Structures are given as structure tokens and as C-alpha cells.
Amino acid sequence: MPLSRLRAFARKMIGRSIDSALGVETDQDIRYDELEFGVERGVSYYATSWLRILPLCRILRTLKIEPGDVFLDVGCGKDASCSSLAAFHFAD
């Protein structure tokens, strides 16, 4: 198996393991015709992997996030970035 395919497989397994531990589903690509807004908006939704959001988490850890602070992510969808932000306790 080529190294690139092995890395892709490892990323997928890590993502599914984290999803399972957190009780969420962020790692599934979905065709737009399966979603409520349909194909007029595009073809497919591709989730951001847990490994790709690590830099965002590192940045957020350096900030002094306080109760009442808000993070606005427009169009975050179901991916890992939305789930990971919950750990920083932004205002609801």
C-alpha cells in the first residue's frame, strides 16, 4: 500500500475514533442531494478532519477566553472544528 493511502487511512481511523469517543459524527462526506438544501447549493459536503483543526485549537489555547466570549463560524457544517470549539466554552 502506498504511503499516501496509508496516511489517509490513518487519518480516517483517527477521526472515527475521536467521533466515537465524543458521540458525534463529523467524518462523513455527504452528497448535497441528501441534505435539506439540495443540489442547487453544490455537489458534496466534505468534512474537515480532526487533524486539520489542531492549529486552530493551538491558537485558541493561547487566548484568554472568558465567559460571554463568542466565536462565530459561518458555514461550519458538521465538521470537527465546530465540535472542537465546544471545549473552549464559548457563550451559547
Side-chain angles (χ1 to χ4, degrees):
M1 177 183 289
L3 187 56
S4 62
R5 292 192 68 197
L6 186 58
R7 285 182 181 145
F9 177 76
R11 279 194 300 270
K12 189 65 97 172
M13 290 300 101
I14 290 169
R16 288 185 181 171
S17 297
I18 294 170
D19 278 2
S20 178
L22 296 176
V24 298
E25 184 182 301
T26 65
D27 197 35
Q28 300 297 318
D29 298 334
I30 303 170
R31 294 195 45 81
Y32 275 26
D33 57 0
E34 299 175 45
L35 300 173
E36 62 192 47
F37 45 81
V39 296
E40 66 276 0
R41 294 291 191 101
V43 177
S44 296
Y45 163 82
Y46 299 100
T48 303
S49 74
W50 285 101
L51 296 176
R52 295 200 186 272
I53 58 112
L54 290 176
L56 171 63
C57 292
R58 285 186 198 114
I59 291 168
L60 289 172
R61 274 191 234 116
T62 66
L63 302 175
K64 293 179 181 177
I65 299 169
E66 298 178 6
D69 288 347
V70 176
F71 187 96
L72 176 63
D73 184 353
V74 177
C76 65
K78 295 176 37 155
D79 69 14
S81 61
C82 186
S83 296
S84 65
L85 290 171
F88 291 93
H89 305 289
F90 286 100
D92 296 338

